[in-house]
Tab-separated table of all heavy atoms in Angstrom:
chain	number	residue	atom	x	y	z
B	33	PHE	N	10.543	-14.513	51.105
B	33	PHE	CA	9.371	-13.832	50.543
B	33	PHE	C	9.769	-12.459	49.998
B	33	PHE	O	10.642	-11.796	50.547
B	33	PHE	CB	8.318	-13.592	51.639
B	33	PHE	CG	7.905	-14.826	52.391
B	33	PHE	CD1	8.636	-15.277	53.481
B	33	PHE	CD2	6.777	-15.529	52.021
B	33	PHE	CE1	8.256	-16.404	54.188
B	33	PHE	CE2	6.383	-16.664	52.720
B	33	PHE	CZ	7.126	-17.105	53.801
B	34	TRP	N	9.060	-12.043	48.945
B	34	TRP	CA	9.139	-10.655	48.485
B	34	TRP	C	7.744	-10.037	48.518
B	34	TRP	O	6.783	-10.608	47.985
B	34	TRP	CB	9.673	-10.580	47.046
B	34	TRP	CG	11.153	-10.561	46.959
B	34	TRP	CD1	11.978	-11.562	46.540
B	34	TRP	CD2	12.020	-9.464	47.287
B	34	TRP	NE1	13.284	-11.165	46.600
B	34	TRP	CE2	13.349	-9.884	47.043
B	34	TRP	CE3	11.805	-8.166	47.759
B	34	TRP	CZ2	14.445	-9.050	47.257
B	34	TRP	CZ3	12.896	-7.355	47.970
B	34	TRP	CH2	14.196	-7.795	47.715
B	35	TYR	N	7.673	-8.874	49.184
B	35	TYR	CA	6.438	-8.100	49.266
B	35	TYR	C	6.679	-6.721	48.651
B	35	TYR	O	7.809	-6.215	48.645
B	35	TYR	CB	6.026	-7.862	50.723
B	35	TYR	CG	5.648	-9.074	51.505
B	35	TYR	CD1	6.601	-9.835	52.176
B	35	TYR	CD2	4.308	-9.460	51.613
B	35	TYR	CE1	6.236	-10.948	52.925
B	35	TYR	CE2	3.939	-10.575	52.365
B	35	TYR	CZ	4.913	-11.303	53.018
B	35	TYR	OH	4.546	-12.406	53.758
B	36	ARG	N	5.586	-6.107	48.218
B	36	ARG	CA	5.653	-4.680	47.962
B	36	ARG	C	4.643	-3.987	48.872
B	36	ARG	O	3.596	-4.573	49.225
B	36	ARG	CB	5.447	-4.316	46.494
B	36	ARG	CG	4.114	-4.582	45.901
B	36	ARG	CD	4.020	-4.085	44.450
B	36	ARG	NE	3.780	-2.654	44.358
B	36	ARG	CZ	3.704	-1.968	43.221
B	36	ARG	NH1	3.861	-2.588	42.055
B	36	ARG	NH2	3.485	-0.666	43.220
B	37	GLN	N	5.009	-2.773	49.266
B	37	GLN	CA	4.166	-2.021	50.191
B	37	GLN	C	3.828	-0.682	49.576
B	37	GLN	O	4.724	0.085	49.200
B	37	GLN	CB	4.893	-1.807	51.524
B	37	GLN	CG	4.040	-1.071	52.542
B	37	GLN	CD	4.755	-0.852	53.848
B	37	GLN	OE1	5.968	-0.994	53.947
B	37	GLN	NE2	4.017	-0.506	54.881
B	38	ASP	N	2.551	-0.401	49.487
B	38	ASP	CA	2.066	0.865	48.945
B	38	ASP	C	1.089	1.475	49.937
B	38	ASP	O	0.333	0.756	50.603
B	38	ASP	CB	1.376	0.637	47.599
B	38	ASP	CG	2.319	0.023	46.583
B	38	ASP	OD1	3.211	0.752	46.113
B	38	ASP	OD2	2.187	-1.180	46.270
B	39	PRO	N	1.088	2.826	50.037
B	39	PRO	CA	0.205	3.487	51.021
B	39	PRO	C	-1.252	3.063	50.851
B	39	PRO	O	-1.794	3.074	49.755
B	39	PRO	CB	0.400	4.977	50.692
B	39	PRO	CG	1.746	5.062	50.058
B	39	PRO	CD	1.907	3.778	49.277
B	40	GLY	N	-1.868	2.688	51.970
B	40	GLY	CA	-3.274	2.308	51.957
B	40	GLY	C	-3.550	0.891	51.491
B	40	GLY	O	-4.671	0.397	51.637
B	41	LEU	N	-2.528	0.230	50.943
B	41	LEU	CA	-2.728	-1.139	50.440
B	41	LEU	C	-2.021	-2.182	51.301
B	41	LEU	O	-2.206	-3.388	51.091
B	41	LEU	CB	-2.222	-1.261	48.994
B	41	LEU	CG	-2.942	-0.406	47.964
B	41	LEU	CD1	-2.328	-0.601	46.581
B	41	LEU	CD2	-4.433	-0.754	47.918
B	42	GLY	N	-1.213	-1.742	52.239
B	42	GLY	CA	-0.517	-2.687	53.096
B	42	GLY	C	0.549	-3.464	52.343
B	42	GLY	O	1.114	-2.984	51.361
B	43	LEU	N	0.812	-4.684	52.791
B	43	LEU	CA	1.816	-5.545	52.164
B	43	LEU	C	1.139	-6.522	51.229
B	43	LEU	O	0.176	-7.190	51.612
B	43	LEU	CB	2.573	-6.350	53.228
B	43	LEU	CG	3.776	-5.690	53.863
B	43	LEU	CD1	3.350	-4.564	54.777
B	43	LEU	CD2	4.601	-6.708	54.639
B	44	ARG	N	1.653	-6.624	50.027
B	44	ARG	CA	1.136	-7.602	49.067
B	44	ARG	C	2.271	-8.524	48.648
B	44	ARG	O	3.359	-8.064	48.293
B	44	ARG	CB	0.535	-6.881	47.861
B	44	ARG	CG	-0.727	-6.076	48.208
B	44	ARG	CD	-1.313	-5.401	46.984
B	44	ARG	NE	-0.463	-4.324	46.497
B	44	ARG	CZ	-0.632	-3.721	45.340
B	44	ARG	NH1	-1.586	-4.103	44.509
B	44	ARG	NH2	0.188	-2.732	44.975
B	45	LEU	N	1.981	-9.811	48.672
B	45	LEU	CA	3.000	-10.815	48.398
B	45	LEU	C	3.187	-10.972	46.897
B	45	LEU	O	2.234	-11.244	46.165
B	45	LEU	CB	2.600	-12.144	49.032
B	45	LEU	CG	3.587	-13.295	48.891
B	45	LEU	CD1	4.907	-12.971	49.599
B	45	LEU	CD2	2.977	-14.575	49.451
B	46	ILE	N	4.441	-10.862	46.454
B	46	ILE	CA	4.748	-10.966	45.023
B	46	ILE	C	5.109	-12.414	44.683
B	46	ILE	O	4.481	-13.049	43.837
B	46	ILE	CB	5.915	-10.032	44.647
B	46	ILE	CG1	5.615	-8.590	45.058
B	46	ILE	CG2	6.183	-10.105	43.145
B	46	ILE	CD1	6.807	-7.655	44.925
B	47	TYR	N	6.140	-12.927	45.322
B	47	TYR	CA	6.599	-14.296	45.136
B	47	TYR	C	7.147	-14.810	46.461
B	47	TYR	O	7.566	-14.033	47.314
B	47	TYR	CB	7.741	-14.357	44.107
B	47	TYR	CG	7.330	-14.631	42.686
B	47	TYR	CD1	7.153	-13.578	41.780
B	47	TYR	CD2	7.141	-15.935	42.231
B	47	TYR	CE1	6.784	-13.828	40.462
B	47	TYR	CE2	6.775	-16.186	40.910
B	47	TYR	CZ	6.599	-15.129	40.042
B	47	TYR	OH	6.242	-15.376	38.742
B	48	PHE	N	7.168	-16.127	46.594
B	48	PHE	CA	7.857	-16.719	47.724
B	48	PHE	C	8.519	-18.028	47.312
B	48	PHE	O	8.265	-18.554	46.218
B	48	PHE	CB	6.928	-16.900	48.931
B	48	PHE	CG	5.685	-17.690	48.675
B	48	PHE	CD1	5.552	-18.974	49.152
B	48	PHE	CD2	4.597	-17.117	48.015
B	48	PHE	CE1	4.384	-19.694	48.952
B	48	PHE	CE2	3.426	-17.832	47.808
B	48	PHE	CZ	3.322	-19.123	48.279
B	49	SER	N	9.360	-18.513	48.230
B	49	SER	CA	10.145	-19.712	47.922
B	49	SER	C	10.304	-20.531	49.189
B	49	SER	O	10.644	-19.981	50.244
B	49	SER	CB	11.526	-19.298	47.386
B	49	SER	OG	12.385	-20.412	47.335
B	50	TYR	N	10.077	-21.849	49.084
B	50	TYR	CA	10.222	-22.732	50.230
B	50	TYR	C	11.505	-23.547	50.184
B	50	TYR	O	11.786	-24.319	51.109
B	50	TYR	CB	9.019	-23.673	50.350
B	50	TYR	CG	7.799	-22.933	50.804
B	50	TYR	CD1	6.811	-22.581	49.900
B	50	TYR	CD2	7.650	-22.552	52.119
B	50	TYR	CE1	5.700	-21.867	50.317
B	50	TYR	CE2	6.554	-21.838	52.545
B	50	TYR	CZ	5.579	-21.502	51.641
B	50	TYR	OH	4.491	-20.800	52.052
B	51	ASP	N	12.246	-23.396	49.126
B	51	ASP	CA	13.485	-24.171	49.035
B	51	ASP	C	14.299	-23.635	47.868
B	51	ASP	O	13.781	-22.894	47.012
B	51	ASP	CB	13.156	-25.651	48.834
B	51	ASP	CG	14.235	-26.574	49.363
B	51	ASP	OD1	15.375	-26.093	49.573
B	51	ASP	OD2	13.948	-27.768	49.560
B	52	VAL	N	15.537	-24.066	47.810
B	52	VAL	CA	16.405	-23.649	46.711
B	52	VAL	C	15.779	-24.066	45.382
B	52	VAL	O	15.217	-25.154	45.260
B	52	VAL	CB	17.792	-24.291	46.878
B	52	VAL	CG1	18.684	-23.950	45.693
B	52	VAL	CG2	18.439	-23.827	48.168
B	53	LYS	N	15.855	-23.186	44.429
B	53	LYS	CA	15.353	-23.384	43.063
B	53	LYS	C	13.839	-23.568	43.007
B	53	LYS	O	13.297	-23.977	41.987
B	53	LYS	CB	16.058	-24.575	42.394
B	53	LYS	CG	17.547	-24.345	42.201
B	53	LYS	CD	18.142	-25.390	41.273
B	53	LYS	CE	19.652	-25.280	41.220
B	53	LYS	NZ	20.089	-24.013	40.610
B	54	MET	N	13.168	-23.256	44.084
B	54	MET	CA	11.730	-23.409	44.150
B	54	MET	C	11.092	-22.046	44.258
B	54	MET	O	11.601	-21.180	44.976
B	54	MET	CB	11.413	-24.221	45.387
B	54	MET	CG	10.211	-25.078	45.304
B	54	MET	SD	9.268	-24.882	46.797
B	54	MET	CE	8.241	-23.538	46.321
B	55	LYS	N	9.973	-21.817	43.559
B	55	LYS	CA	9.288	-20.542	43.661
B	55	LYS	C	7.787	-20.752	43.524
B	55	LYS	O	7.335	-21.673	42.839
B	55	LYS	CB	9.785	-19.559	42.606
B	55	LYS	CG	9.584	-20.032	41.180
B	55	LYS	CD	10.219	-19.078	40.201
B	55	LYS	CE	10.061	-19.598	38.774
B	55	LYS	NZ	10.783	-18.762	37.792
B	56	GLU	N	7.058	-19.873	44.175
B	56	GLU	CA	5.601	-19.914	44.109
B	56	GLU	C	5.111	-18.493	43.885
B	56	GLU	O	5.629	-17.556	44.503
B	56	GLU	CB	5.000	-20.413	45.431
B	56	GLU	CG	5.303	-21.847	45.788
B	56	GLU	CD	4.390	-22.817	45.052
B	56	GLU	OE1	3.367	-22.364	44.509
B	56	GLU	OE2	4.707	-24.014	45.035
B	57	LYS	N	4.096	-18.328	43.053
B	57	LYS	CA	3.510	-17.009	42.850
B	57	LYS	C	2.716	-16.599	44.085
B	57	LYS	O	2.048	-17.417	44.697
B	57	LYS	CB	2.580	-17.030	41.639
B	57	LYS	CG	3.306	-17.191	40.318
B	57	LYS	CD	2.341	-17.185	39.160
B	57	LYS	CE	3.084	-17.364	37.846
B	57	LYS	NZ	2.166	-17.407	36.696
B	58	GLY	N	2.830	-15.318	44.388
B	58	GLY	CA	2.019	-14.751	45.445
B	58	GLY	C	0.750	-14.153	44.869
B	58	GLY	O	0.181	-14.660	43.909
B	59	ASP	N	0.353	-13.019	45.416
B	59	ASP	CA	-0.908	-12.400	45.004
B	59	ASP	C	-0.770	-11.476	43.801
B	59	ASP	O	-1.730	-11.260	43.074
B	59	ASP	CB	-1.496	-11.616	46.188
B	59	ASP	CG	-1.686	-12.502	47.403
B	59	ASP	OD1	-2.141	-13.652	47.231
B	59	ASP	OD2	-1.361	-12.063	48.523
B	60	ILE	N	0.432	-10.934	43.578
B	60	ILE	CA	0.618	-9.966	42.472
B	60	ILE	C	1.921	-10.248	41.729
B	60	ILE	O	2.824	-9.424	41.685
B	60	ILE	CB	0.589	-8.500	42.992
B	60	ILE	CG1	1.565	-8.319	44.171
B	60	ILE	CG2	-0.810	-8.098	43.407
B	60	ILE	CD1	1.923	-6.871	44.419
B	61	PRO	N	2.064	-11.405	41.083
B	61	PRO	CA	3.341	-11.753	40.441
B	61	PRO	C	3.589	-11.102	39.084
B	61	PRO	O	4.719	-11.119	38.586
B	61	PRO	CB	3.210	-13.270	40.273
B	61	PRO	CG	1.735	-13.480	40.082
B	61	PRO	CD	1.059	-12.449	40.953
B	62	GLU	N	2.559	-10.502	38.493
B	62	GLU	CA	2.697	-9.993	37.121
B	62	GLU	C	3.778	-8.913	37.043
B	62	GLU	O	3.773	-7.965	37.819
B	62	GLU	CB	1.354	-9.434	36.622
B	62	GLU	CG	0.234	-10.447	36.515
B	62	GLU	CD	-0.392	-10.798	37.861
B	62	GLU	OE1	-0.233	-10.006	38.824
B	62	GLU	OE2	-1.018	-11.864	37.959
B	63	GLY	N	4.666	-9.076	36.063
B	63	GLY	CA	5.732	-8.102	35.856
B	63	GLY	C	6.988	-8.388	36.655
B	63	GLY	O	7.971	-7.648	36.548
B	64	TYR	N	6.962	-9.474	37.431
B	64	TYR	CA	8.095	-9.837	38.283
B	64	TYR	C	8.509	-11.286	38.035
B	64	TYR	O	7.704	-12.105	37.608
B	64	TYR	CB	7.735	-9.697	39.763
B	64	TYR	CG	7.265	-8.341	40.193
B	64	TYR	CD1	5.901	-8.028	40.227
B	64	TYR	CD2	8.168	-7.351	40.578
B	64	TYR	CE1	5.457	-6.788	40.623
B	64	TYR	CE2	7.732	-6.103	40.983
B	64	TYR	CZ	6.380	-5.832	41.004
B	64	TYR	OH	5.940	-4.585	41.411
B	65	SER	N	9.755	-11.582	38.334
B	65	SER	CA	10.202	-12.960	38.432
B	65	SER	C	11.186	-13.032	39.598
B	65	SER	O	11.560	-11.999	40.159
B	65	SER	CB	10.849	-13.440	37.126
B	65	SER	OG	12.007	-12.672	36.844
B	66	VAL	N	11.568	-14.262	39.974
B	66	VAL	CA	12.470	-14.424	41.111
B	66	VAL	C	13.489	-15.503	40.790
B	66	VAL	O	13.324	-16.302	39.869
B	66	VAL	CB	11.718	-14.796	42.412
B	66	VAL	CG1	10.904	-13.634	42.947
B	66	VAL	CG2	10.860	-16.038	42.209
B	67	SER	N	14.532	-15.517	41.611
B	67	SER	CA	15.572	-16.528	41.468
B	67	SER	C	16.056	-16.904	42.853
B	67	SER	O	16.328	-16.032	43.684
B	67	SER	CB	16.732	-15.976	40.641
B	67	SER	OG	17.825	-16.852	40.664
B	68	ARG	N	16.176	-18.217	43.083
B	68	ARG	CA	16.742	-18.684	44.350
B	68	ARG	C	17.713	-19.819	44.034
B	68	ARG	O	17.364	-20.992	44.076
B	68	ARG	CB	15.652	-19.149	45.316
B	68	ARG	CG	16.242	-19.390	46.711
B	68	ARG	CD	15.265	-19.147	47.776
B	68	ARG	NE	15.839	-19.361	49.099
B	68	ARG	CZ	15.173	-19.913	50.093
B	68	ARG	NH1	13.926	-20.311	49.922
B	68	ARG	NH2	15.750	-20.046	51.271
B	69	GLU	N	18.943	-19.441	43.753
B	69	GLU	CA	19.994	-20.402	43.425
B	69	GLU	C	20.689	-20.930	44.675
B	69	GLU	O	21.233	-22.038	44.675
B	69	GLU	CB	21.020	-19.749	42.489
B	69	GLU	CG	20.442	-19.374	41.135
B	69	GLU	CD	19.966	-20.583	40.358
B	69	GLU	OE1	20.680	-21.615	40.339
B	69	GLU	OE2	18.876	-20.523	39.768
B	70	LYS	N	20.690	-20.134	45.736
B	70	LYS	CA	21.286	-20.554	47.006
B	70	LYS	C	20.267	-20.305	48.121
B	70	LYS	O	19.429	-19.408	48.010
B	70	LYS	CB	22.560	-19.763	47.287
B	70	LYS	CG	23.696	-20.062	46.342
B	70	LYS	CD	24.962	-19.359	46.770
B	70	LYS	CE	26.105	-19.716	45.841
B	70	LYS	NZ	27.361	-19.047	46.236
Side-chain angles (χ1 to χ4, degrees):
Chain B
F33 306 85
W34 274 107
Y35 295 87
R36 66 176 280 178
Q37 182 180 15
D38 300 288
L41 297 179
L43 273 71
R44 293 181 291 169
L45 182 63
I46 305 171
Y47 267 96
F48 55 106
S49 168
Y50 288 102
D51 207 342
V52 176
K53 296 193 188 294
M54 211 225 90
K55 60 186 178 186
E56 294 279 345
K57 291 181 181 178
D59 304 318
I60 51 161
E62 297 77 20
Y64 303 94
S65 62
V66 289
S67 171
R68 190 150 181 218
E69 295 297 317
K70 292 186 178 180

